[in-house]
Amino acid sequence: MADWPDYELIDFGTDGLGRGRRLERFGTLVLDRPCPAADGVTKQRPDAWAAAVARYDGARATDGVWKPAPKKWAPAAACRVPIGQGLTLGLTPTPAGQIGIFPEQFINWRWMYDRLNRYERPLRVLNLFGYTGGSTLAAAAAGAQVTHVDASKPSVQLARDNAERSGMAAAPIRWIVEDAAAYCQRELKRASFYDAVILDPPSYGHGPKGEAWRLERDLPRLLELCRDLTAASRCLFLATCHTPGIGPAELSAYLSDAIVGDCSAPPASGRLWLSTPEGRRLESGVFARWPS
């Protein structure tokens, strides 16, 4: 991306085994990772793939391995994100092939920062399924008071590490390890309300006490809770999704059903894309956000 010097989608396409992959640069590191959205696509820069520092392979996303091992290349690796005065996100390779940074969210981080920065007072922002904190830090950089919620204690620690890397260890952020719906229900009982909600729910998951999450079953109720938590002073609502079968229209409908009765206009929605320097686009999820 021309406006994000530390990140580049170099190429994407099918490898010799017929599997979609993507080649990306984070800071100075080039990584080769699986990418189902690139299945059946022809690579345009085949010679560039030899520059990869590490490659993730596996029959399934949960049983692969990084080669070489992350301890040889990941420690101290970080990616600078030009939001506000600048954020720094560390690379945290996982056994599932993730690295703790989701570059398709950059457009949302920038939109969120610009929106929140317009208010003279610091808004209260609730970030559900906050993972490694990119959205939390973008909101805090705009002056918001953020509550970061994730069911995974290690993920919340990674987000706190990213806050420290970004010089935001003292920012007004509350770090909560909890099931998203359970936390929202308790906040309603406490009459603890918010101005904005951000959420990037997974297709499936479990809370810290084994609470099962199924997006198509549980998202409508969670959005209703978020609606009630923001009823008095709603300023911003952002949802993103990577669940197969849920496109922009479906995600927008989820938000509309929950909040459109209280809003002056329906949410905007669309697809998230990553682009190579040559302009090739790789689909990377969907978004719905209000106001448009």
Side-chain angles (χ1 to χ4, degrees):
M1 298 180 186
D3 47 358
W4 188 1
D6 256 23
Y7 174 77
E8 181 183 359
L9 175 62
I10 300 170
D11 194 17
F12 59 91
T14 303
D15 65 11
L17 299 176
R19 301 171 301 187
R21 305 193 65 85
R22 59 182 178 179
L23 186 70
E24 300 165 288
R25 178 180 58 81
F26 295 87
T28 61
L29 294 182
V30 176
L31 302 179
D32 176 354
R33 298 192 289 158
C35 180
D39 286 352
V41 178
T42 301
K43 295 178 180 179
Q44 296 299 302
R45 300 179 59 187
D47 294 341
W49 294 73
V53 170
R55 174 185 170 98
Y56 179 88
D57 272 310
R60 297 192 306 272
T62 56
D63 66 357
V65 294
W66 286 98
K67 296 182 180 179
K71 64 181 180 181
K72 296 183 178 181
W73 53 270
C79 185
R80 181 105 170 140
V81 185
I83 301 290
Q85 297 300 310
L87 311 177
T88 301
L89 305 181
L91 273 67
T92 53
T94 73
Q98 302 290 353
I99 57 166
I101 301 176
F102 296 86
E104 69 273 12
Q105 294 287 0
F106 177 67
I107 187 173
N108 286 324
W109 296 336
R110 188 168 54 185
W111 175 84
M112 182 194 322
Y113 175 87
D114 291 342
R115 286 282 180 178
L116 295 172
N117 208 31
R118 297 177 185 180
Y119 293 87
E120 294 183 0
R121 66 179 178 90
L123 300 189
R124 292 197 73 209
V125 175
L126 177 62
N127 183 17
L128 302 174
F129 311 100
Y131 196 38
T132 53
S135 293
T136 290
L137 297 180
Q145 299 172 352
V146 188
T147 298
H148 175 106
V149 181
D150 197 283
S152 167
K153 186 175 181 179
S155 291
V156 172
Q157 184 57 55
L158 291 174
R160 298 187 72 145
D161 293 344
N162 282 331
E164 187 169 351
R165 289 186 184 96
S166 301
M168 300 177 67
I173 302 171
R174 298 173 62 219
W175 307 101
I176 308 294
V177 179
E178 182 57 282
D179 172 75
Y183 182 78
C184 289
Q185 290 169 345
R186 284 207 306 276
E187 287 290 82
L188 278 173
K189 290 180 180 179
R190 290 188 287 246
S192 178
F193 300 111
Y194 294 84
D195 302 298
V197 174
I198 306 158
L199 69 164
D200 182 30
S203 301
Y204 305 98
H206 290 88
K209 298 179 181 179
E211 306 92 332
W213 165 268
R214 299 293 182 270
L215 186 141
E216 294 186 2
R217 180 192 68 195
D218 299 324
L219 183 58
R221 175 54 182 155
L222 179 59
L223 290 175
E224 289 174 359
L225 293 170
C226 294
R227 174 197 63 200
D228 296 341
L229 284 171
T230 59
S233 58
R234 185 178 304 121
C235 298
L236 180 150
F237 219 107
L238 170 64
T240 54
C241 183
H242 298 79
T243 299
I246 296 183
E250 289 78 12
L251 187 59
S252 180
Y254 276 120
L255 259 65
S256 293
D257 290 345
I259 69 172
V260 74
D262 299 321
C263 299
S264 58
S269 63
R271 297 191 179 277
L272 297 171
W273 302 90
L274 293 173
S275 298
T276 66
E278 297 80 20
R280 298 173 67 220
R281 298 204 302 179
L282 177 65
E283 185 176 335
S284 304
V286 300
F287 72 87
R289 58 197 185 199
W290 178 89
S292 58

